[in-house]
Amino acid sequence: MPRYNAMTEDFQEATLLGKPALFTPLRIDCTTIPNGYQLYEVRHDDECQGDAVQVAHNIYVNHWGSLIMQDELAMPDGFLDIEPEDLNYSSGDCRSMGEFMAKHPPVVKIMADVITIADAPEVSLDEDEKAGDVLLKFFRALGWNGEDILDPCKIRTTKEVYDNLYRLMCEKCPDPIRVGMFMVNRGPGTDGYVPQGKVYLIDGWVTKEGDVPSGFQEQTV
């Protein structure tokens, strides 16, 4: 099932249990959610009346829509049962993630991580190179030597840079699902705080213990 980019879709401002939120009937890609916000999905009633009855991180049956919030919801069993009136769709005029962020600025927990800011490398492929070589060239241009352990989760960049890497890979591999899964597992993440054309390298993005993670170079797309 397709998932959509939170930074480019239209939303309806809402509240859940009195807390500000954005709602869309679409399934949103969790990797496009800016730092400081939470993504939830909503389940509707079995009678298909459009009544919201449950919130969880992933809804597979009776999916009603997606919610983006600042607040972390307490879900000890992995879900939160709600009453239809707990979800209010008429609470404001925000129609985009950017408008919501301006109205409800993110509350970011300051971590002890050391971040190096680097220029986003420009990557191109030769005719005989594979789609996966896009990421290998990208990481090498950032300073990875191809031997140290690489943690892609500690590499954050902008949506524009991410989308360009995805586009280059799709030019070599016509299967967008395979490319998307490869990017999720091996590619950098996106973060709304990264300046345009830059990359955040969080301390520990490469370590010198051991070899390259198993399967990184062997896995091809």
Side-chain angles (χ1 to χ4, degrees), residues 6-152:
M7 303 306 295
T8 59
E9 295 301 326
D10 293 328
F11 291 88
Q12 180 177 4
E13 191 172 0
T15 59
L16 176 65
L17 300 170
K19 299 175 181 179
L22 284 179
F23 175 82
T24 175
L26 301 175
R27 292 183 183 270
I28 295 297
D29 184 347
C30 64
T31 65
T32 67
I33 301 299
N35 190 24
Y37 297 91
Q38 311 296 321
L39 175 64
Y40 302 100
E41 294 187 344
V42 183
R43 189 191 311 277
H44 67 75
D45 59 302
D46 288 334
E47 289 72 30
C48 299
Q49 298 301 308
D51 292 331
V53 297
Q54 195 174 82
V55 177
H57 285 295
N58 292 289
I59 298 292
Y60 298 103
V61 179
N62 292 358
H63 179 270
W64 182 242
S66 301
L67 281 174
I68 298 175
M69 307 176 63
Q70 287 180 309
D71 299 86
E72 293 189 33
L73 301 177
M75 298 188 295
D77 297 317
F79 59 87
L80 174 66
D81 289 329
I82 61 174
E83 298 296 330
E85 58 268 23
D86 292 333
L87 181 56
N88 181 351
Y89 300 102
S90 56
S91 64
D93 57 1
C94 289
R95 294 295 179 266
S96 70
M97 191 70 222
E99 292 175 345
F100 189 75
M101 293 173 70
K103 185 174 182 179
H104 304 286
V107 178
V108 181
K109 297 178 181 179
I110 304 300
M111 307 297 289
D113 294 326
V114 176
I115 298 176
T116 300
I117 302 177
D119 291 330
E122 293 187 8
V123 179
S124 61
L125 286 180
D126 297 330
E127 291 186 3
D128 60 340
E129 292 181 309
K130 298 182 177 65
D133 291 328
V134 169
L135 294 184
L136 291 175
K137 293 178 117 178
F138 183 79
F139 295 140
R140 284 180 180 275
L142 288 171
W144 179 53
N145 61 13
E147 297 180 356
D148 294 335
I149 295 176
L150 173 71
D151 185 354

Side-chain angles (χ1 to χ4, degrees), residues 130-131 166 169-170 172-185 218-221:
K130 298 182 177 65
Y166 178 84
M169 293 182 71
C170 285
K172 288 287 186 175
C173 177
D175 185 349
I177 296 178
R178 188 179 180 192
V179 171
M181 292 301 296
F182 192 86
M183 285 290 289
V184 167
N185 289 299
E218 291 82 0
Q219 183 176 349
T220 59
V221 174

Side-chain angles (χ1 to χ4, degrees), residues 35 111-118 154-156 191 193-195 199-205:
N35 190 24
M111 307 297 289
D113 294 326
V114 176
I115 298 176
T116 300
I117 302 177
K154 293 189 175 182
I155 303 172
R156 314 294 292 180
D191 195 315
Y193 292 100
V194 181
V199 176
Y200 279 1
L201 303 175
I202 301 173
D203 190 36
W205 74 282

